[in-house]
Every structure is written in structure tokens, then in C-alpha cells.
Amino acid sequence: MILYKNFVLYVFAFILTFYVTTKSLIPNAGFALVAMVWLMANTIFFIYNRYSLYDSISIIFFLVYLTLIYFFNLNERFSTPAYIHILGSIVFYLILVNFIDSYEQLSKMLLIHIIVVVPILIHMAYISWFQLNSFWLTPDFESGTRFGKNSVGMFIIFCFTYLYGYYRNNNSFFVKVALLFLVFCALYTISRGTLVSLSICIIMFLFISSKKITYVKPILFSMLLFFLAKNILSFDLFDNMMQIKNVGGTHKQEKFIDFTSSGPGSKYGYGQRASHYITIVKKFPNKPIFGHGTESFRRNEGTLAHNDYITILYEYGLVGFLLFIFILFNHFFKLWKIRDKIPNRYVWIGEAQLVQFFIMAFVSLIMTTYISPIFWYHLAISATLVKITKHHVDQKNLSILQ
């Protein structure tokens, strides 16, 4: 039975990794959905008692609240798909936390993501550069547009963070090469959010990790590379990224690149997001407690807010916003409390998970992620670590007493 449970979890991890493609072999069913269905279909074979739903009372209350808001917007445009996404993602969270019950399972799942994502990205990068002549990594092999660049970048950073955490245990040549490759692919998305997320990851490990010296060298190496590229090769990464973004979704390599020029930056992107803050200031006071309803921002403003905090504050009011913030803080606080109790062999997971919180806090400022299964997967990993560590400590104390 244990072998079958491991098989279910590892197949789930394998399938979910293909989320980075933002595509699927099944029409209207992304790889995240396929992975979730696989996991849910197999939960009927397992019954657990190490985790109480009481530990997820804030999550359940959040779902109940969102359900009530949804019923008041039952026939509104966009509301049903959004609610189905959040319902499925939270159920997915609850199943995962009950399903995983050992450090070994969790560590192998995370390593499977990394091992599988590398060949996928090699294929995507090859097609993007050599066949599409594109200056951005794209999973859209038909039009060559930047379809899903933020989703691609988010999952690349997700994998990079865990591999960077694993680096403290294993700094072999292959791990270093894989890290460099993930950095290259992250930059190749030409996404400012991905670049900032990558920077947050590299910097926060220096503060979070108990092996700080391990993460000093990569930072110094990165600074040296940037200095050499800018001052010797006359290549400014940031300026060139901004120029590529300004060209639009149809450029080809042979039509554009100037490694010595400096572009003005993407003013539209900043302007669009700034307008969403103005929208909140003007319209939030109209319905401050319970908000305007599920997916009302998209209906009323004609666009997503690309910001979880604005979206939840606008659509679910102060009640929903405070619940959301409490869930994030509660998961972070519990993980922070048990970080020193995780066995040394698996400390890298805890440190990577703490860093993920800072990354996700930033990503929530630039994307609508709260209905994404990846967002809840991140929280589930935290809750699972807490559950497993508490059980580990209880077993250790029991053995001492005996």
C-alpha cells in the first residue's frame, strides 16, 4: 500500500511539472487539472488520521465565505469558472496535506519537478530560439507569441527555488549546471516579474539559510557576470529586456536587437497596473465589507487586476482580504516555528519553502494567482512540512520517554 501511495504521488509530481508548458494534450484540461484529477481519484484508497481538518479551519472558512459570495453572483459573467478554479484548488490543498506523510515523499516529489522540467525547458528553448526566431521563451509553438510567459516564469522560479535550496546538500556539477540553465530560462521569458522573483530568491536564501556561506558565492558570481557583461561586452541585460518587450509579440531575431542601446522601458505595463490602484481607491468604498462579487473586477473594468490583493479586496471586501492575509501569515508563522526541528537532511525543503513565501508575496502583487493550483500547492507543501515535523517531534519525544 505504501508503494502504491508513493507511485500515486510521484506520478502526480511528474504530470504537474508539465504546467510549465501552459498547454495540455487534452482540450480544455491543463496539466494541473489532469494531475489534480489523478490525485483525487486515488484518495479513496487511503485513510489518514495524522491531520485534522481543524488545522485547516481558516482555509475551510475562506472557501465557505467565497462560496457565499459566489452564490450572490451565480449568473454573472466569469464568476462560475473562477469559483470552480478556487474550489478545485482548495480541495486539492486539503487532499495533498492529508496524502503526503513523510519527508522522503515530499523531497522526491520536489526533485521530480526539477528533473522533469529541465528537458521540457530545453525543448521549449530550442523551438523558441532556432525555429520561431523568438527573443522570449514561449510554449506557444504556433504563433510564437509570449503566451503564458508569466505562468512559465512563475513555475521556473518555483523549481529553481527548491533546487537552490537543495544546493546546500548537493553542490555537484550537475546541480550547478541545472541551476544555471533555470536562470537562463527565467531570463529568457523576458518577464520583469520573473527577474524580480529570481532576485528575491537568491537574496532571501542568504538571510533564511543556516548555511549562509553556501549562498554568498552565487551572489558574488552573479554580480561579477553582470559587471563584465555591461562594462566589457557593452550588454545591459535590463535595457535590452525592456527594448525586446517594447517591440511587441511579432518580432523576429533578424529584425531586432542592439546590444549597446538603452530602451525607454515599458510604460504601458506600469500605467496599466497603476490604474488598478486608482480603481480600488475610487470604488472600494462603495462595498468595503463584502466586496463587489466574484470576478467583478474583470466584469466591471474589462481586465484582470493582475494583483491578488487588489482582486480580493475589490471582489470579496475586507472580510475576504483579512481571511486571505491570515491564511498566508498563519502558514508562514507555523513553518517558521518548526524550521529548527526539521531533520538536517531535509532542512533544504523548509528553507526553500520560507523563501517561496517571499516570492509568492511578490508574485501576488503582479499576477492573479489565488485561484491557481500552484498557489495552493505552495501552501500545501508548507502545511505538510508542519504536519510531518510535528509528528517527527512527537515520535522523538515518545522514544525518549520509553
Side-chain angles (χ1 to χ4, degrees):
M1 208 59 160
I2 293 176
L3 289 176
Y4 180 70
K5 181 175 66 173
N6 290 344
F7 170 75
V8 171
L9 287 171
Y10 302 153
V11 169
F12 159 80
F14 175 83
I15 297 172
L16 185 65
T17 310
F18 283 82
Y19 176 89
V20 76
T21 67
T22 69
K23 294 288 187 180
S24 179
L25 299 174
I26 304 173
N28 301 316
F31 280 108
L33 177 59
V34 175
M36 289 163 61
V37 169
W38 163 262
L39 188 65
M40 293 173 184
N42 283 280
T43 55
I44 59 174
F45 298 108
F46 306 100
I47 300 175
Y48 303 101
N49 54 18
R50 289 185 188 172
Y51 183 80
S52 169
L53 287 179
Y54 176 77
D55 294 321
S56 294
I57 191 67
S58 60
I59 301 281
I60 295 171
F61 193 72
F62 184 63
L63 178 59
V64 170
Y65 177 74
L66 264 58
T67 302
L68 290 173
I69 299 297
Y70 164 67
F71 277 121
F72 282 102
N73 293 264
L74 196 56
N75 297 316
E76 299 290 347
R77 196 160 58 111
F78 306 130
S79 62
T80 297
Y83 176 73
I84 292 173
H85 272 85
I86 189 66
L87 174 64
S89 296
I90 291 180
V91 171
F92 164 64
Y93 164 96
L94 296 172
I95 290 173
L96 265 177
V97 176
N98 282 275
F99 213 90
I100 306 169
D101 58 5
S102 75
Y103 292 115
E104 188 69 14
Q105 288 172 344
L106 186 55
S107 64
K108 285 184 177 178
M109 288 173 64
L110 296 174
L111 291 175
I112 284 172
H113 290 316
I114 296 161
I115 292 168
V116 176
V117 83
V118 169
I120 295 174
L121 290 173
I122 288 174
H123 175 68
M124 286 171 59
Y126 177 84
I127 297 293
S128 299
W129 184 265
F130 291 103
Q131 295 187 16
L132 296 179
N133 296 318
S134 174
F135 267 105
W136 41 70
L137 184 68
T138 174
D140 192 340
F141 297 150
E142 293 156 1
S143 67
T145 62
R146 289 180 296 167
F147 177 81
K149 69 181 177 67
N150 288 326
S151 297
V152 172
M154 179 178 70
F155 197 77
I156 291 173
I157 299 301
F158 178 84
C159 292
F160 175 84
T161 304
Y162 291 112
L163 184 59
Y164 200 48
Y166 185 64
Y167 179 71
R168 65 168 282 154
N169 286 18
N170 184 344
N171 59 1
S172 67
F173 172 77
F174 294 105
V175 171
K176 291 176 182 176
V177 170
L179 283 169
L180 287 173
F181 178 71
L182 290 177
V183 168
F184 164 77
C185 289
L187 297 177
Y188 191 21
T189 61
I190 314 297
S191 165
R192 289 165 297 184
T194 300
L195 177 62
V196 174
S197 297
L198 180 64
S199 303
I200 291 172
C201 176
I202 293 172
I203 292 170
M204 289 309 303
F205 264 103
L206 194 60
F207 294 97
I208 296 294
S209 179
S210 58
K211 277 192 173 182
K212 300 185 188 303
I213 192 65
T214 304
Y215 298 101
V216 171
K217 290 180 181 178
I219 291 178
L220 295 176
F221 180 69
S222 301
M223 293 171 64
L224 177 63
L225 280 182
F226 182 80
F227 175 82
L228 292 175
K230 186 173 182 179
N231 293 279
I232 296 179
L233 301 178
S234 299
F235 175 75
D236 191 314
L237 173 67
F238 305 119
D239 282 345
N240 279 278
M241 281 183 68
M242 299 316 304
Q243 287 196 67
I244 292 171
K245 289 177 70 68
N246 286 339
V247 171
T250 59
H251 81 76
K252 301 294 183 181
Q253 286 180 26
E254 62 269 22
K255 293 182 180 178
F256 173 81
I257 194 164
D258 178 2
F259 287 110
T260 61
S261 60
S262 57
S266 177
K267 296 180 180 179
Y268 173 74
Y270 292 118
Q272 184 188 41
R273 282 173 170 76
S275 68
H276 298 332
Y277 287 96
I278 296 171
T279 297
I280 279 292
V281 171
K282 289 184 175 181
K283 297 188 177 181
F284 170 73
N286 297 336
K287 296 183 178 180
I289 306 301
F290 302 111
H292 293 75
T294 308
E295 285 295 281
S296 55
F297 195 98
R298 187 178 178 186
R299 285 195 303 273
N300 298 341
E301 307 305 319
T303 178
L304 294 172
H306 300 293
N307 183 313
D308 282 329
Y309 309 111
I310 285 179
T311 300
I312 293 174
L313 194 59
Y314 183 93
E315 297 183 0
Y316 302 105
L318 278 173
V319 175
F321 180 77
L322 292 175
L323 276 171
F324 180 71
I325 295 300
F326 175 78
I327 287 169
L328 295 181
F329 175 78
N330 191 41
H331 279 74
F332 179 84
F333 180 70
K334 286 182 177 180
L335 184 59
W336 182 264
K337 280 177 61 179
I338 59 93
R339 71 191 188 284
D340 296 329
K341 298 178 176 65
I342 300 174
N344 188 59
R345 182 182 174 187
Y346 301 106
V347 165
W348 66 272
I349 306 177
E351 290 180 350
Q353 197 57 37
L354 286 169
V355 172
Q356 285 281 16
F357 269 103
F358 290 95
I359 296 171
M360 290 303 293
F362 165 73
V363 170
S364 289
L365 280 169
I366 61 171
M367 292 176 63
T368 304
T369 65
Y370 84 99
I371 63 174
S372 166
I374 301 301
F375 177 88
W376 292 95
Y377 186 35
H378 153 70
L379 291 182
I381 293 170
S382 298
T384 299
L385 264 177
V386 172
K387 179 195 75 169
I388 296 170
T389 303
K390 284 182 177 178
H391 178 72
H392 171 77
V393 171
D394 290 342
Q395 291 292 99
K396 191 175 180 180
N397 291 338
L398 184 61
S399 63
I400 292 174
L401 290 175
Q402 291 176 342

